[in-house]
Amino acid sequence: CKSLPETFLFQLLGLSIATLSTVTHYGLRFTLISNVSLDSNSYRVIHQRAFYFGICLSMTLILAALLSSAATVRESQCLTAMGFFCFALAFCGLIPAACWRYTHSTEVEDSMMDVYDFVYEEVRRNTSSFRRHELTAIHEAFLCCGKHSPFGDTINVELKTCPPGQVHDEGQDCLREIQDFLKKHMDFVFSLLGIAIGFTVTASVLSHF
């Protein structure tokens, strides 16, 4: 049977996933890209689905931990079976999520950079003053300045939209900054999924016995 420290560990794991999902959904950098993205871009759909999946997964883990704890105290086979079912349900969600992260590792990255490319080119062609404000907000959020464009004529764009004191160089290329930021975030997500899978398998075995 599960001990109180193990129950607390699963509750903490569920809260960590919920916190990460909330930060990902409402974080400034993510919301900026989501608000700017077009309907034809896949980022907004991924952004929404990741949030709801994370919240559902965290609630499932917390519920499984509470049911297992109550089953231990009351020595109830019914509660134990319900806890095992919740752990199995969480496992069935974690495996596809981890596989999606592995097989679609660049999809989110590409969609975010496509959004930036679109806004940047709109501003470069001077077709929208509203897009200029959006590009300025992205530069301030990611602390970057412009990009290396094969079309040239980027200096005017960067002077109008980059934060004061920013000097455009290779280290501040926004496409690279977005790529680096998202890679670190996705690596953290994948690590948390791996930990959750390991603990969920352990808990399922213990609940079964």
Side-chain angles (χ1 to χ4, degrees), residues 1-2 9 15 31-32 43 54 59 68-69 116 134 143 145-146 153 156 159 175 177 196 207:
C1 56
K2 287 165 56 61
L9 183 62
L15 289 174
T31 53
L32 272 175
Y43 176 77
M59 294 299 102
S68 297
S69 179
Y116 179 81
E134 293 177 338
L143 299 178
C145 182
D153 298 329
N156 290 333
L159 288 176
L175 294 178
E177 290 295 325
S207 298

Side-chain angles (χ1 to χ4, degrees), residues 12-24:
L12 182 62
L13 182 60
L15 289 174
S16 299
I17 294 175
T19 301
L20 180 62
S21 301
T22 303
V23 169
T24 301

Side-chain angles (χ1 to χ4, degrees), residues 57-68:
L57 178 61
S58 65
M59 294 299 102
T60 302
L61 287 173
I62 293 173
L63 178 61
L66 293 175
L67 288 173
S68 297

Side-chain angles (χ1 to χ4, degrees), residues 64-76:
L66 293 175
L67 288 173
S68 297
S69 179
T72 301
V73 174
R74 298 186 179 183
E75 297 183 355
S76 170

Side-chain angles (χ1 to χ4, degrees), residues 93-144:
L94 285 166
I95 293 299
C99 291
W100 187 92
R101 166 65 182 87
Y102 181 76
T103 57
H104 297 76
S105 59
T106 61
E107 184 173 342
V108 181
E109 177 184 304
D110 291 341
S111 63
M112 287 186 74
M113 291 193 293
D114 286 344
V115 171
Y116 179 81
D117 276 330
F118 167 76
V119 177
Y120 189 93
E121 293 304 321
E122 287 286 300
V123 175
R124 189 181 65 82
R125 290 193 294 265
N126 294 319
T127 57
S128 173
S129 60
F130 180 71
R131 293 297 183 188
R132 190 180 303 117
H133 293 296
E134 293 177 338
L135 185 62
T136 301
I138 294 174
H139 285 165
E140 291 176 351
F142 284 92
L143 299 178
C144 59

Side-chain angles (χ1 to χ4, degrees), residues 47-62:
H47 189 229
Q48 293 287 340
R49 289 181 179 178
F51 172 70
Y52 292 119
F53 172 80
I55 294 299
C56 291
L57 178 61
S58 65
M59 294 299 102
T60 302
L61 287 173
I62 293 173

